[in-house]
Amino acid sequence: MSRILVLFMSAFLVLGACAAPPPPPPQMGADGKPLPKLYRIRASDTGPIQFRMLDSVNSLRTAAGRSEVQLNAQLNAAAATHARDMSVQNRPWHFGSDGSSPIDRVRRVGYSGNLVGETISETYETELETLAAWMAEPSTRTVILSPDARNMGFSWLQEDNGKIWWTLVMGD
């Protein structure tokens, strides 16, 4: 009986040592809030991120009484081109390094509709945090909720340091 008890206690101690240690406490910033974790995007995340953004935009549009939009490959290409170009220029603005405007970019990719608007961001935040920030600003909220919008393009470029250049394009 004592052998069984000794074996049981030994097994209990061995298994107890195998348990994962508790996670370290979050690092705190100077403001007393936890520091954000770096949001790293992999190439395989492209589809899920684009559809998560599409679903979120459509939820907001439906709540505002607007029709849903569809992802458009040409607008995705225009958004990707501009996200890359903003990174090269190291500034978030609507003009390309070649002087192109959002209208020029949607025409270059062969989009047959008209540009409704473009929203951009330079951030370390996720796509949904970025959407929330866009919805808090009247000018970008107007683009996202435009009653004329029927198509959406969405893309980004993430730099090695984690900074993300987001671009959302709406077309009719």
Side-chain angles (χ1 to χ4, degrees), residues 10-167:
S10 298
F12 179 74
L13 289 173
V14 167
L15 289 176
C18 293
Q27 292 183 335
M28 304 302 265
D31 59 359
K33 295 181 182 177
L35 293 174
K37 292 182 180 179
L38 182 61
Y39 182 59
R40 191 55 77 180
I41 301 172
R42 298 179 312 253
S44 62
D45 296 332
T46 299
I49 288 173
Q50 285 180 323
F51 283 105
R52 190 166 40 245
M53 180 61 93
L54 177 66
D55 290 343
S56 299
V57 165
N58 280 333
S59 292
L60 293 166
R61 289 180 60 82
T62 299
R66 305 290 192 270
S67 62
E68 292 188 350
V69 294
Q70 306 268 331
L71 268 180
N72 179 280
Q74 293 163 322
L75 294 181
N76 283 343
T81 298
H82 192 55
R84 193 174 316 106
D85 194 37
M86 286 189 299
S87 173
V88 168
Q89 295 182 71
N90 197 32
R91 62 178 167 182
W93 73 325
H94 294 283
F95 294 96
S97 56
D98 61 356
S100 64
S101 71
I103 295 170
D104 298 328
R105 287 189 293 278
V106 299
R107 285 188 185 142
R108 284 181 187 166
V109 296
Y111 183 67
S112 60
N114 296 305
L115 174 75
V116 171
E118 176 183 77
T119 63
I120 57 174
S121 181
E122 167 196 18
T123 185
Y124 291 88
E125 296 178 330
T126 69
E127 67 279 0
L128 298 182
E129 291 169 321
T130 301
L131 178 59
W134 284 336
M135 291 302 289
E137 291 294 321
S139 61
T140 50
R141 180 184 178 92
T142 299
V143 170
I144 293 166
L145 297 181
S146 171
D148 298 330
R150 298 289 176 265
N151 295 296
M152 181 182 98
F154 180 66
S155 195
W156 60 90
L157 181 119
Q158 185 169 38
E159 297 178 351
D160 291 340
N161 66 5
K163 183 190 294 185
I164 308 170
W165 300 88
W166 299 105
T167 304

